[in-house]
Amino acid sequence: DIQMTQSPSSLSASVGDTITISCRASQTINIFLNWYQQTPGRAPKLLIFGASSLQSGVPTRFSGSGSGTDFTLTISSLQPEDSATYYCQQSYSAFFTFGPGTKVDIK
Amino acid sequence: EVQLVESGGSLVSPGGSLRISCAASGFTFSDYNMIWVRQAPGKGLEWVSSIIKSGSSTYYTDSVKDRFTVSRDNAKNSLYLQMNRLSVEDTAVYYCARLGRAGGGYFDYWGQGALVTVSS
């Protein structure tokens, strides 16, 4: 199975800040990397697919980059509603795997 | 509007069985591969199973293989997960989700989840 890691596991930032979350795959996955946002008690929401394509309706302050094994989710001009846990997910293999998540708190 | 609504979650004794369902609407169900993802209390997301459009191919994570069976009824726009020999480690919220049509393996719509609790 392809293992996914994320860093940091949590972070705290202020409204208006720019933050980055890293995701690493245990083997190359080309650009088959997706990002989700989950708030407590809610289902995950797709943000980014194919490493850098923004899902329809997602604010443009969210962006993704990377290929191969290393990927980044960037949130520019952080907003209060961005307080959530963010997960990466590989889709290179049909046996999908998620990263452990990064919890983002707003100061 | 795309909607996925899970049902059937409940409290089950260890070793027991349960079937949960996912009712789809707002899209042509038979055109999409579907998946189940679970989330144990306070934990992260875990892919459980996938089924292709026709239902002829299925995939499972190792921990549920030979215990869980995914199926679908395209005439009823419904997805199912039959869970047998349940253990406390299977306690989780189970989400059904749709695989995006572009083939990128991303999950573009999710249900609200069904809570399965395995406890004596």
Side-chain angles (χ1 to χ4, degrees):
Chain A
D1 287 1
I2 300 174
Q3 308 301 318
M4 307 300 294
T5 57
Q6 287 181 234
S7 62
S9 57
S10 65
L11 66 90
S12 182
S14 300
V15 171
D17 285 351
T18 294
I19 65 169
T20 60
I21 299 170
S22 296
C23 175
R24 176 167 288 177
S26 60
Q27 66 181 72
T28 184
I29 57 171
N30 197 339
I31 59 167
F32 290 95
L33 190 284
N34 313 302
W35 291 97
Y36 302 84
Q37 175 195 61
Q38 187 181 34
T39 53
R42 303 291 298 272
K45 172 187 173 183
L46 176 66
L47 299 175
I48 302 283
F49 62 94
S52 62
S53 296
L54 193 68
Q55 172 69 349
S56 176
V58 174
T60 55
R61 65 179 181 273
F62 291 91
S63 63
S65 64
S67 66
T69 60
D70 293 303
F71 302 87
T72 300
L73 174 70
T74 300
I75 309 176
S76 304
S77 187
L78 197 67
Q79 298 299 303
E81 60 267 30
D82 299 334
S83 178
T85 300
Y86 294 84
Y87 295 93
C88 61
Q89 172 243 333
Q90 67 79 19
S91 51
Y92 181 84
S93 163
F95 299 87
F96 305 114
T97 45
F98 289 90
T102 295
K103 186 175 182 182
V104 174
D105 287 326
I106 310 298
K107 289 178 185 175
Chain B
E1 178 195 6
V2 172
Q3 282 200 314
L4 297 169
V5 180
E6 298 92 339
S7 61
S10 71
L11 173 64
V12 187
S13 298
S17 298
L18 186 70
R19 188 178 86 155
I20 57 176
S21 303
C22 172
S25 60
F27 65 102
T28 304
F29 182 68
S30 58
D31 283 350
Y32 289 85
N33 301 332
M34 300 291 294
I35 62 108
W36 289 99
V37 168
R38 68 183 178 183
Q39 186 169 37
K43 303 297 185 183
L45 302 169
E46 179 186 26
W47 167 77
V48 173
S49 180
S50 302
I51 185 168
I52 67 168
K53 291 177 281 190
S54 67
S56 61
S57 290
T58 58
Y59 304 84
Y60 301 93
T61 192
D62 284 348
S63 63
V64 309
K65 205 176 303 183
D66 301 325
R67 297 190 301 123
F68 289 12
T69 301
V70 61
S71 62
R72 63 192 296 162
D73 186 334
N74 287 343
K76 294 183 177 180
N77 294 331
S78 292
L79 176 71
Y80 307 102
L81 187 66
Q82 175 69 43
M83 300 179 286
N84 298 329
R85 303 199 317 271
L86 284 160
S87 70
V88 294
E89 289 77 26
D90 296 315
T91 294
V93 174
Y94 285 74
Y95 296 101
C96 66
R98 189 181 83 168
L99 269 156
R101 197 166 186 180
Y106 53 89
F107 315 142
D108 59 356
Y109 286 92
W110 296 64
Q112 86 289 350
L115 177 61
V116 174
T117 303
V118 184
S119 175
S120 54

